Amino acid sequence: MSTPNRLTASVAALAVVAAACGGRARPAAMGAAPAADQPAESGPTVVPAGDTTGLLRVRFARGTTSGIVNDSLRDGETQGYLIGAEQGQVMMAHAITWPVRERESAPAAATVRVFSVPDGSELSAPFGAGALWSGRLPATGDVIVRVSATGATAYTLAVQIPRRLSVGAEHPTAAIRGSAPSRAPVDYIIDGESGRTLAASLRERDPATLHVYGLDDGTQLAPLSERRRLWAGRLPASQNYVISVVPAEEGAEYELSIALR
């Protein structure tokens, strides 16, 4: 599998989990699309952007690192969203399209593009245009995420901004206690060097599991499907690694321990 495809599959898995946990049942593959005219019972708050005509602002619920929006596009239409972030943060925005009607053929292909609000310039992504945009944000402030598609479609837009942890030679360990307000994953990110040993663990009693993967190449260290509470091993490449806590229930309390040596 190519690098972009591995990364797309990884983020798609997270987005599908988060969409399923936002108060809706996830539509089966090639099945009915999620309704686009009603807000999810939980997840991000979507409000009019005010001074930016036609755009909606996506807000992350307290204690989360992701926002989910279920929406739809007419043929030839583009939807835009405002997201606030800080300079240097890594953001991933992924649009998963669903068939508009049951038993319909494959859904339209989505494209996600990101623009700077102050000057309107487009922010580049390492893997080019596609359903996934991933990159480091150059400045503090708002960015615009625009979603388009090859035809009419419903879709789930998942936006992730992992919390960066400083672990390394001077501070090789970190312990984070948290409570997940929904079943959407809570994401953390670290810098990892090839050959170093990473250990990530949750307590045995925590109602959550881990998803650990390389941000740049999508390498799955602890795949979502394995539902692990512990992963330890040597890092295969120098890159950013995402460590996601995937809650099994709303309000799940967890304690994440990370060591990098």
Side-chain angles (χ1 to χ4, degrees), residues 173-186:
T173 63
I176 305 99
R177 287 188 175 184
S179 177
S182 71
R183 289 182 60 196
V186 182

Side-chain angles (χ1 to χ4, degrees), residues 39-193:
E41 294 174 10
S42 62
T45 301
V46 182
V47 297
D51 61 348
T52 306
T53 304
L55 300 186
L56 300 174
R57 180 174 293 278
V58 179
R59 300 186 188 277
F60 294 6
R62 185 177 181 85
T64 68
T65 58
S66 60
I68 305 296
V69 176
N70 288 323
D71 212 334
S72 61
L73 290 169
R74 292 188 290 267
D75 192 20
E77 187 179 28
T78 298
Q79 295 280 23
Y81 306 90
L82 276 176
I83 297 167
E86 297 180 2
Q87 182 179 17
Q89 286 185 318
V90 171
M91 184 179 80
M92 295 169 280
H94 189 247
I96 302 172
T97 55
W98 312 106
V100 176
R101 290 172 291 276
E102 291 189 31
R103 295 183 296 277
E104 194 174 42
S105 59
T111 298
V112 176
R113 301 169 70 185
V114 178
F115 298 84
S116 168
V117 168
D119 60 11
S121 61
E122 184 170 1
L123 305 184
S124 61
F127 303 130
L132 167 69
W133 188 96
S134 174
R136 193 181 296 270
L137 299 175
T140 297
D142 287 338
V143 295
I144 299 172
V145 174
R146 296 196 182 277
V147 180
S148 59
T150 54
T153 188
Y155 63 91
T156 296
L157 174 67
V159 180
Q160 297 165 258
I161 302 180
R163 174 186 167 191
R164 184 167 292 280
L165 301 177
S166 296
V167 289
E170 293 185 5
H171 304 284
T173 63
I176 305 99
R177 287 188 175 184
S179 177
S182 71
R183 289 182 60 196
V186 182
D187 307 306
Y188 300 90
I189 190 169
I190 64 169
D191 287 322
E193 296 179 2

